[in-house]
């Protein structure tokens, strides 16, 4: 096994059990390793930190599989890690029995570069690092064994793969997808999941519990759902007794799915739902110009700041939509606002939202601080994992 030798003094983050070794921390590689191969990570004085996956093309030059110098990284290692990850979900009372569930959440589950989401009988796998890619077969076999699923569909088409020198890969890698459209039930609402062409792995599972909260807060309210995708928040709002729900997204296919979701849920008053294919920034301005007002507004935009270097431009975009959000609220109205940008921390996000409230001339108070559901855990040593943050605010 090749040895990755760290620059002197560059072991600090590893001592905190942070799993990444950046290019600038690497003194040299002793021996030969191909992308994804396991290397031993050692300090310049010879102290051994553990085993990592080597990724020569990435700025993250190595990702730790374990902080144990003796561990063997083999099929059995992945079988164990995958089984533990699946078992943790099964043992959580809020997660057990969910048919839409994140089974593996990358670094925070000890499997850097591995995402696995379960939608009924199908597991969708996304591999985003050279190490994860190398162990594809072991990970797929472990998932099949741990879940008994009928099919594993690979959606390794995320842009971040190119940073690791990996080409996109998609397709069924175990079994076959069911003929009919795949659906899951989330807090009593049936939702279609397009694992082949939908965003990410097909569905934004991280917002599951926040969608439920929206439902609970929606009774008797007029709701505006911005960036609605397939209508997750919208349908929960209807289920919770909203008077009306206007949902906006720029994706035509997502809105078509949203309309099918209404049909899938005949128990809901679908006639109260209105869908608008539009750019949210423009739509918010138009709603303001038309003098429209709402009692509850959801803002769940895409990642405006993938990394800290995009934070400035992203901050303006967040400020903009939140300012309009506040201006469009009736007195006593609720704004549920999110950021899934890794580059914008909770503190900064709260500051941006506070700035928007003050520009809008409203007093607002935080009712709930929101985060991803517990099947998206955040490793304490990996704060980058805490990408989704949200605030539920009520205006005076
Ligand atoms: N709230 C959704 C997830 C939102 S993901 C849920 O609960 O499932 C972000 C969505 O924003 C995507 O559906 C994408 O199509 C949409 N989007 C991105 N940029 C947009 C824009 N400028 N205007 C409108 N929608 C946009």
């Amino acid at each position: 096994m090749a040895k990755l030798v760290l620059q002197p003094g560059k072991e600090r983050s590893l001592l905190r059990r942070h799993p990444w070794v950046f290019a600038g921390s690497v003194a040299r590689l002793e021996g030969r390793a191909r992308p994804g191969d396991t290397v031993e990570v050692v300090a310049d004085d010879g102290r051994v930190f553990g085993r990592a996956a080597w990724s020569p093309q990435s700025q993250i030059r190595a990702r730790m599989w374990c902080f144990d110098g003796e561990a063997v990284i083999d099929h059995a290692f992945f079988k164990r890690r995958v089984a533990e990850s699946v078992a943790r979900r099964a043992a959580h009372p809020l997660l057990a029995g969910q048919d839409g569930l994140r089974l593996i959440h990358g670094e925070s589950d000890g499997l850097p570069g591995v995402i696995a989401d379960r939608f009924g009988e199908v597991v969708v796998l996304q591999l985003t690092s050279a190490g994860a890619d190398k162990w594809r077969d072991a990970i797929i076999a472990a998932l099949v064994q741990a879940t008994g699923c009928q099919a594993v569909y690979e959606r390794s088409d995320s842009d971040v793969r190119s940073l690791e020198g990996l080409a996109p890969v998609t397709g069924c890698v175990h079994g076959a997808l069911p003929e009919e459209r795949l659906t899951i039930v989330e807090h009593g609402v049936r939702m279609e999941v397009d694992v082949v062409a939908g965003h990410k792995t097909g569905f934004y599972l991280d917002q599951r519990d926040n969608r439920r909260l929206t439902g609970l807060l929606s009774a008797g309210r007029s709701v505006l759902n911005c960036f609605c995708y397939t209508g997750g928040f919208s349908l929960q709002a209807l289920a919770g007794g909203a008077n009306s729900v206007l949902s906006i997204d720029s994706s035509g296919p997502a809105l078509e799915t949203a309309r099918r979701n209404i049909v899938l849920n005949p128990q809901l008053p679908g006639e109260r739902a209105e869908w608008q294919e539009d750019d949210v920034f423009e739509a918010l301005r138009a709603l303001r110009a038309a003098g429209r007002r709402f009692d509850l507004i959801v803002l769940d935009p895409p990642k405006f700041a993938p990394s800290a270097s995009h934070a400035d431009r992203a901050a303006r975009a967040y400020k903009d939509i939140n300012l309009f959000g506040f201006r469009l609220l009736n007195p006593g109205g609720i704004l549920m606002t999110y950021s899934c940008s890794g580059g914008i921390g909770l503190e900064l996000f709260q500051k941006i939202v506070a700035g928007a409230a003050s520009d809008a001339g409203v007093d607002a108070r935080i009712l709930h601080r929101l985060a991803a559901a517990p099947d998206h855990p955040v490793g304490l040593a990996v704060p980058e994992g805490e990408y989704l943050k949200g605030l539920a605010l009520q205006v005076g």
Side-chain angles (χ1 to χ4, degrees), residues 237-360:
L238 290 175
N243 288 339
S244 64
V245 183
L246 171 58
S247 307
I248 305 172
D249 201 283
S250 56
S251 163
L255 292 172
E256 280 169 33
T257 306
R259 289 197 174 90
R260 282 196 297 274
N261 284 334
I262 290 287
V263 177
L264 282 175
N265 291 276
Q267 79 281 13
L268 299 181
E271 70 285 355
R272 297 186 189 172
E274 195 187 330
W275 307 96
Q276 185 175 330
E277 184 176 336
D278 213 341
D279 175 76
V280 163
F281 292 84
E282 287 173 20
L284 288 173
R285 280 180 175 75
L287 288 167
R288 166 91 173 145
R292 291 282 299 272
R293 293 275 184 154
F294 301 88
D295 302 320
L296 189 150
I297 299 178
V298 178
L299 299 171
D300 183 25
K303 212 188 298 178
F304 290 148
S307 73
S309 62
H310 304 80
D312 279 352
R313 215 183 47 208
R316 279 196 293 279
Y318 285 117
K319 173 89 176 276
D320 209 26
I321 54 172
N322 281 283
L323 176 60
F324 274 95
F326 282 121
R327 285 181 172 156
L328 288 170
L329 275 180
N330 281 320
I334 292 175
L335 179 66
M336 303 186 76
T337 181
Y338 299 92
S339 162
C340 60
S341 294
I344 303 255
L346 175 60
E347 211 177 319
L348 176 56
F349 182 58
Q350 189 171 319
K351 261 191 198 144
I352 294 167
V353 174
S358 100
D359 284 11

Side-chain angles (χ1 to χ4, degrees), residues 91-346:
H92 191 302
L94 291 176
L95 300 177
Q98 293 283 351
D99 58 359
L101 197 61
R102 174 147 298 187
L103 297 175
I104 302 175
H105 190 49
E107 274 74 354
S108 297
D109 279 307
L111 289 165
V114 183
I115 296 291
D117 286 346
R118 177 169 200 157
F119 302 110
E121 285 307 315
V122 177
V123 171
V124 181
L125 177 65
Q126 185 169 74
L127 304 174
T128 58
S129 68
D133 204 66
K134 170 112 189 169
W135 290 98
R136 164 186 281 107
D137 292 348
I139 295 165
I140 293 166
L143 276 167
V144 171
Q145 194 175 29
T147 65
C149 65
Q150 273 171 22
V152 179
Y153 189 85
E154 183 166 3
R155 275 297 297 273
S156 297
D157 53 359
S158 157
D159 292 345
V160 297
R161 268 175 77 90
S162 64
L163 303 176
E164 300 265 327
L166 300 168
V169 179
T170 56
C172 227
V173 289
H174 168 81
L177 289 179
E179 298 275 314
E180 67 278 13
R181 292 183 202 276
L182 202 57
T183 65
I184 59 166
V185 176
E186 184 185 84
H187 298 307
V189 169
R190 188 167 289 281
M191 300 292 293
E192 184 182 312
V193 180
D194 183 350
V195 301
V196 176
H199 295 183
K200 304 267 182 79
T201 60
F203 193 70
Y204 293 91
L205 289 167
D206 51 0
Q207 290 282 28
R208 179 192 311 113
D209 295 343
N210 300 328
R211 286 192 280 258
R212 172 145 195 277
L213 178 62
T214 297
L216 292 171
L217 295 173
S218 290
R221 292 185 184 260
S222 58
V223 174
L224 171 64
N225 180 13
C226 296
F227 309 98
C228 67
Y229 188 47
T230 58
F233 283 100
S234 314
L235 273 81
Q236 287 296 338
L238 290 175
N243 288 339
S244 64
V245 183
L246 171 58
S247 307
I248 305 172
D249 201 283
S250 56
S251 163
L255 292 172
E256 280 169 33
T257 306
R259 289 197 174 90
R260 282 196 297 274
N261 284 334
I262 290 287
V263 177
L264 282 175
N265 291 276
Q267 79 281 13
L268 299 181
E271 70 285 355
R272 297 186 189 172
E274 195 187 330
W275 307 96
Q276 185 175 330
E277 184 176 336
D278 213 341
D279 175 76
V280 163
F281 292 84
E282 287 173 20
L284 288 173
R285 280 180 175 75
L287 288 167
R288 166 91 173 145
R292 291 282 299 272
R293 293 275 184 154
F294 301 88
D295 302 320
L296 189 150
I297 299 178
V298 178
L299 299 171
D300 183 25
K303 212 188 298 178
F304 290 148
S307 73
S309 62
H310 304 80
D312 279 352
R313 215 183 47 208
R316 279 196 293 279
Y318 285 117
K319 173 89 176 276
D320 209 26
I321 54 172
N322 281 283
L323 176 60
F324 274 95
F326 282 121
R327 285 181 172 156
L328 288 170
L329 275 180
N330 281 320
I334 292 175
L335 179 66
M336 303 186 76
T337 181
Y338 299 92
S339 162
C340 60
S341 294
I344 303 255
L346 175 60

